[in-house]
Amino acid sequence: MRFLLCFLAALSAVPASAERLTLDRIHADPALAGPGIRNLKVSPDGERVTFLRGRPDNQFQLDLWEFNLKDKTMRRLVDSKALVPDENPSPEEKARRERARTASLNGIITYSWSPDGKQLLVPIGGDLYLVDVTRPESARKVASGNVSDPKISPKGRYVSFVRSQNLYVIELATGAERQLTSDGAGTIHNAEAEFVAQEEMGQRTGYYWAPDDSAIAYKRFDEAPVPVVRRFEIFADRTDVVEQRYPAAGDQNVLAELMIVSPATGVRRKVELGANKDIYLVRADWSANSKYLVYQLQTRDQKRLDLIAVDAATLSQRTLLTETSPTWVSIHDDLRFLKQRNAFLWSSERSGRNHLYLYDMDGKLLHPVSSGNWGIDNVLAVDEKAGRVFVASNRDAVIDKQTYALALDGSTADSPLRITKADGWHDSAFSRNGEVFVDTFSDPSTPPQISIRRPDGSMIGWLEKNELNASHPYAKYKPDHLPTEYGTLTSNDGQTLYYSIIKPSGFDAGKRYPVFLTTYGGPHSQYVARKWGNTFDQYMAQQGFVVFRLDNRGSSRRERQFTDPIYKALGKHEVEDQLAGIEWLGRQSFVDARRIGVFGWSYGGFMTLRLLAAASDKIAMGVAVAPVTDWALYDTHYTEQFVGGTPKSDPDAYKNSGVFAHLDGLKSPLLLVHGMADDNVLFTNTTRLIDALVNRNVKFDLMTYPGAKHGISSRPGQRHVYGTIEAFFRKNLGGEPRK
């Protein structure tokens, strides 16, 4: 209720002189959503909340800020421009940011706390700084030379980082730097995650500290077996020929090893991963007492995952548990070791929904911690003292995200306590002990509001209230802000499909409007969510389009019965479900069924092509940005997980899951868009499609972006690509309703 009252109060403060959204304003400063806050962390001593914030004149230039929980004051701790006035990231750093989807950002991208909460480790411009929170102006450079993935060790004795494919530590008491590996060069990498691990497995690091600072486990890999792809990166003034080791479906992956090294002596030991080298080393961690290194090994077909404990003293091993699936075993970050119970938490989809389980350190299942016809998204924090674990879930509404508390003893497995109250979307960041958390809340009418709360959900204070008052960047556009409506349809196999719809400005139920259908449609994504929305969707609705989204089978945050049908048949069930949405739209009195257009990016670009090929009689036009056209061109881990097998072992699955076998049905106008330096969905996907369309004498429009990667992430690029998309919709559908 208090959020509703705040919202109504904000509306009363909005000036009467409203303005319509423009593309220029959407891609200008300050951000329309209000002050952007990223990477929220509660300090280990619980005294501060730190975060990264963009500047009013450049929302993509990030500085480090703190909110003091004792005196409720906020200040900028580190000015990124003061540390490095002119940042020039290395090619390796640019590639890492592309994998982490932070390519558009500058300044301080990441940071970490010392265990005592007194210092912060800040990497920027290839250098590494230690910042004393009481005297942040005296930031001290501790390392330089294109360092990456820096960490402060759990006990605070060392700083570690990767430089030139080798692992280093600095002993903070003496300042002495020690190189722990020396063979990193060429195809040999130490303490890093390989391309597919970064892109598809969510690996942001390649090394792991023991809790007592006694050892570091690290991945060592040789990428020599991975084929070299020679591709062009076409810029405005030059063309670079890049030789990239890109493991396409069916190709060899890197040869991965798991090592343990002493930071004090540099002595290295190898953990045997077994005779089969064609595996994925997807995670590694340490038990709470540092006695065991625990790693996760996934088979190449991804139908089996083993959790294996290694005795750090003897290197003897035992398998704690094994997950199997007839389709694929999902990877997660929910492994948590408990200090007081000699046990660990583990999430699994074995029941058909993702639930949490408690095991002892011998791998014996003690009991489920959650159960029932719902599932968790992920573990947020564990408060062993109170006997609780906090999780995120959409238990009460599939389109929402809430925070819940579960008892570690399993007594509340099917009845978790909901901590966050307002319906909508909550992202929670907890302190290490779970005694305080930062809640970022939004809904379709409320831009992100950030509050600091106790574990029962009660308010401590605002970090960023972000009221929609007269001074808010969105205030002048609020009177024309259009509501988002939600509903459900049913798939042909009885599954519930969630959709959202925004009706256009000046909506008249007696008129028929064109439709802007935007889709992603692939795994690992939920497109229909009750949160502050995409401003381009708002813009298109204000231009006279009905804006429609639908989450088809395969989309995330659902049960396995919903996600598994796409296995070995990409584009089949997803297209069927989107067509069910299109057919529903066509039955609405306010929709002009002859003017339905589709737009999608990446997997959404693939979906656009498959939809046009399947139903050009129902879809008037489409825009495909950076589409996958042939899954044999995409990387091993993702493609083999969902298409199944390899192009050689299951050619029919690859043929039918791609675009080319279906192109004869593509008759509607198409705009094809791609960045000319894309290292994720390679530009070859589009050049092959161009050739196939030309050979069929199919006319289409083409827009390419020199030097642009997969996200076409520069501000001018973003402004231009969305302007091009809008222009193509206007050209083919118009923006005016018809009787």
Side-chain angles (χ1 to χ4, degrees), residues 479-532:
D480 286 323
H481 186 86
L482 299 165
T484 303
E485 303 171 24
Y486 297 90
T488 60
L489 303 173
T490 303
S491 70
N492 58 16
D493 66 345
Q495 294 286 309
T496 299
L497 308 174
Y498 287 82
Y499 71 80
S500 66
I501 190 168
I502 306 175
K503 294 172 182 174
S505 297
F507 178 73
D508 182 344
K511 295 181 178 180
R512 294 181 178 270
Y513 295 86
V515 173
F516 175 74
L517 188 157
T518 175
T519 183
Y520 179 79
H524 309 147
S525 176
Q526 179 179 7
Y527 231 41
V528 179
R530 188 154 48 187
K531 61 182 176 181
W532 182 252

Side-chain angles (χ1 to χ4, degrees), residues 649-682:
S649 67
D650 202 341
D652 287 342
Y654 278 81
K655 177 183 176 182
N656 294 328
S657 290
V659 168
F660 296 101
H662 310 277
L663 279 182
D664 289 343
L666 198 159
K667 307 294 184 184
S668 296
L670 167 68
L671 170 61
L672 187 59
V673 180
H674 215 125
M676 301 178 81
D678 194 332
D679 63 351
N680 180 3
V681 178
L682 303 182

Side-chain angles (χ1 to χ4, degrees), residues 153-154 157-162 166-169 178-183 190-192 206-220 257-271 286 290 293 310-313 315:
S153 64
R157 291 178 57 196
Y158 301 94
V159 164
S160 55
F161 57 87
V162 177
N166 283 299
L167 179 62
Y168 292 76
V169 294
R178 179 177 295 115
Q179 184 173 342
L180 297 181
T181 66
S182 58
D183 60 344
N190 291 292
E192 295 180 335
Y207 71 97
Y208 312 86
W209 274 99
D212 63 359
D213 281 9
S214 63
I216 304 173
Y218 68 94
K219 177 185 283 190
R220 179 186 182 276
E257 297 177 329
L258 182 59
M259 308 290 293
I260 299 176
V261 62
S262 165
T265 66
V267 173
R268 297 183 295 273
R269 296 175 296 155
K270 182 179 177 180
V271 176
W286 290 84
S290 300
L293 167 63
V310 182
D311 187 302
L315 298 188

Side-chain angles (χ1 to χ4, degrees), residues 310-448:
V310 182
D311 187 302
T314 66
L315 298 188
S316 63
Q317 303 187 42
R318 68 180 190 279
T319 299
L320 297 177
L321 61 86
T322 297
E323 297 284 352
T324 60
S325 170
T327 54
W328 68 84
V329 176
S330 299
I331 299 169
H332 60 77
D333 291 307
D334 295 332
L335 177 62
R336 295 288 192 280
F337 293 99
L338 307 184
K339 295 180 180 179
Q340 301 170 9
R341 300 170 185 248
N342 195 34
F344 64 90
L345 289 165
W346 175 261
S347 69
S348 169
E349 295 176 305
R350 67 187 64 152
S351 69
R353 297 176 185 267
N354 196 36
H355 280 300
L356 198 58
Y357 301 86
L358 186 67
Y359 286 82
D360 69 18
M361 285 304 297
D362 291 322
K364 177 185 176 182
L365 175 63
L366 300 177
H367 53 257
V369 177
S370 68
S371 63
N373 291 324
W374 61 286
I376 71 165
D377 294 331
N378 59 284
V379 172
L380 298 170
V382 179
D383 183 350
E384 283 197 73
K385 183 178 179 181
R388 294 182 300 184
V389 55
F390 298 93
V391 299
S393 174
N394 59 1
R395 183 180 190 272
D396 293 321
V398 168
I399 59 176
D400 285 1
K401 186 178 184 181
Q402 304 288 344
T403 299
Y404 300 83
L406 288 156
L408 288 172
D409 64 9
S411 59
T412 62
D414 197 26
S415 55
L417 174 65
R418 179 166 154 180
I419 303 299
T420 48
K421 303 304 180 186
D423 291 341
W425 199 269
H426 296 263
D427 285 308
S428 297
F430 277 77
S431 62
R432 187 175 297 174
N433 57 13
E435 293 181 355
V436 65
F437 73 98
V438 183
D439 174 39
T440 302
F441 163 77
S442 74
D443 66 24
S445 297
T446 309

Side-chain angles (χ1 to χ4, degrees), residues 231-251:
R231 59 181 177 83
F232 296 105
E233 289 196 350
I234 303 173
F235 295 82
D237 56 354
R238 72 183 193 279
T239 298
D240 294 342
V241 179
V242 177
E243 293 190 347
Q244 177 184 355
R245 291 191 181 273
Y246 186 99
D251 287 341

